[in-house]
Amino acid sequence: MSAARILLVGADGRMGQAVVAAAAQDPGLTITAGIERGDPIGPAIESCDVVIDFSAADATEAVCQACAQYGKPLVLGTTGHSATQKEAVVAAAQKIPLVFAANFSVGVNVLFALTRRAAELLGDDFDLEVVEMHHRTKKDAPSGTAKRLLEILQEVRRGQHAIPAHSIRAGDIVGEHTVIFAGAGERLELTHRAASRETFAVGALRAARWALEQPAGLYNMEDVLGL
Ligand code: NAD
C-alpha cells in the first residue's frame, strides 16, 4: 500500500518541524505539502489524503472549510480557539472525520482518564487546582490541555464551582500539567511532563492514520487511543 499523503499546516513552526521529523521515521505516511501563513490551501489540499494542522487559531476556520469542501480528514492540534472558531470545527466534522485534541501525547490522555477517576473517588471534599507550565512564547493561557482537565473536573463536580487554573510561561518548557486534589491532612497530585515535542508529533501521525479509516465525526485523542 502506498504511503498516505499529508498536507501540513504550520509547517515551519515548532510542532510543524516535529511532525516533519516524526513522519521521516514512518514509512506509512509522507508529507507531500506544507503551508505557512499567507499560502493558499486550495492547490495543496487536492492532492493529499489527510491534513494535519499545528498553526494558529485564526487559521482554523479556513482550514476546516477547505477540508470539508475537498472531503479530506483533518487532525487539528492548534489550541486557543474562540467560540466562533470552535463552531467551524463542529460544522466541518459533520462532513469529514476530524480529530481535535488539545494534546496528542499518550501520557496526557491517560492523565485525563486518571483525573476523572481520582475526582470521582475523592469526592467533593477535596479542593481542585490545575497548574500548567509552558515556554515563554506560547500564545494561549490556560493551555488547551489545562482547559480539557478543567472540563473533566467540572463534569465530575457537575459545574458546582469554578476550578482555578494557574499558567506559568517561562523559558523553553515544552509542557507540564499538574492536577492538585487537596483535602484535610493529605494532598494528591497528578503530573505529566513532556520532555520533547516528539510525543505530540507521533500522536498526531497516529491520529492521521486512524482518521483515514473513520466516518465523518468529531473525535479526540481518547477516541484514537480507545481510552
Ligand atoms: P509555532 O508558533 O512555533 O508555529 C506555528 C506555525 O504556524 C508558524 O510557523 C506560523 O507561521 C504558522 N502559521 C500561523 N498562521 C498560519 C496560517 N494562517 N496558515 C498556515 N500557517 C500558519 O507554534 P507551535 O509551538 O508549533 O504550536 C502551534 C499550535 O499547536 C499552537 O496552537 C499550540 O498551542 C498547539 N500545540 C498543540 C499540541 C497538541 O498536542 N495538540 C502540542 C503542542 C502545541
Side-chain angles (χ1 to χ4, degrees):
M1 207 175 78
S2 59
R5 300 162 303 171
I6 298 170
L7 164 60
L8 183 58
V9 183
D12 293 347
R14 278 169 289 231
M15 273 310 302
Q17 288 303 296
V19 172
V20 169
Q25 307 296 317
D26 188 334
L29 297 161
T30 175
I31 296 172
T32 48
I35 61 168
E36 263 293 322
R37 188 177 279 284
D39 295 336
I41 191 168
I45 200 168
E46 273 185 276
S47 53
C48 79
D49 300 308
V50 55
V51 176
I52 298 181
D53 178 325
F54 284 99
S55 61
D58 63 5
T60 293
E61 284 175 89
V63 170
C64 283
Q65 280 161 15
C67 288
Q69 182 184 342
Y70 289 92
K72 306 291 181 180
L74 171 61
V75 173
L76 182 58
T78 298
T79 63
H81 296 99
S82 66
T84 312
Q85 289 161 344
K86 277 191 193 151
E87 279 167 23
V89 176
V90 173
Q94 291 178 356
K95 298 193 173 143
I96 52 161
L98 199 163
V99 182
F100 184 27
N103 199 305
F104 285 98
S105 87
V106 174
V108 155
N109 284 276
V110 171
L111 172 67
F112 291 154
L114 294 176
T115 296
R116 184 182 299 283
R117 189 73 186 120
E120 285 167 354
L121 288 170
L122 293 170
D124 291 350
D125 291 341
F126 282 70
D127 295 332
L128 307 174
E129 303 270 334
V130 173
V131 184
E132 57 103 344
M133 300 185 210
H134 284 86
H135 53 93
R136 62 165 75 101
T137 59
K138 182 167 176 63
K139 292 193 179 76
D140 51 325
S143 68
T145 303
K147 285 186 187 162
R148 178 73 189 123
L149 288 165
L150 292 169
E151 207 174 84
I152 290 167
L153 293 169
Q154 291 285 5
E155 278 166 22
V156 177
R157 290 283 177 98
R158 293 186 184 81
Q160 232 175 350
H161 36 97
I163 297 162
H166 311 273
S167 299
I168 293 163
R169 295 288 171 266
D172 60 356
I173 301 168
V174 173
E176 296 195 13
H177 294 85
T178 297
V179 184
I180 299 170
F181 301 83
E186 60 175 334
R187 184 169 83 244
L188 174 68
E189 296 184 1
L190 299 175
T191 297
H192 178 272
R193 294 188 181 93
S196 98
R197 290 179 178 82
E198 186 183 347
T199 177
F200 310 130
V202 169
L205 294 177
R206 183 169 174 171
R209 254 192 311 270
W210 184 86
L212 284 164
E213 309 293 325
Q214 306 307 314
L218 185 58
Y219 306 99
N220 58 25
M221 198 56 190
E222 289 153 278
D223 297 318
V224 175
L225 297 170
L227 291 173

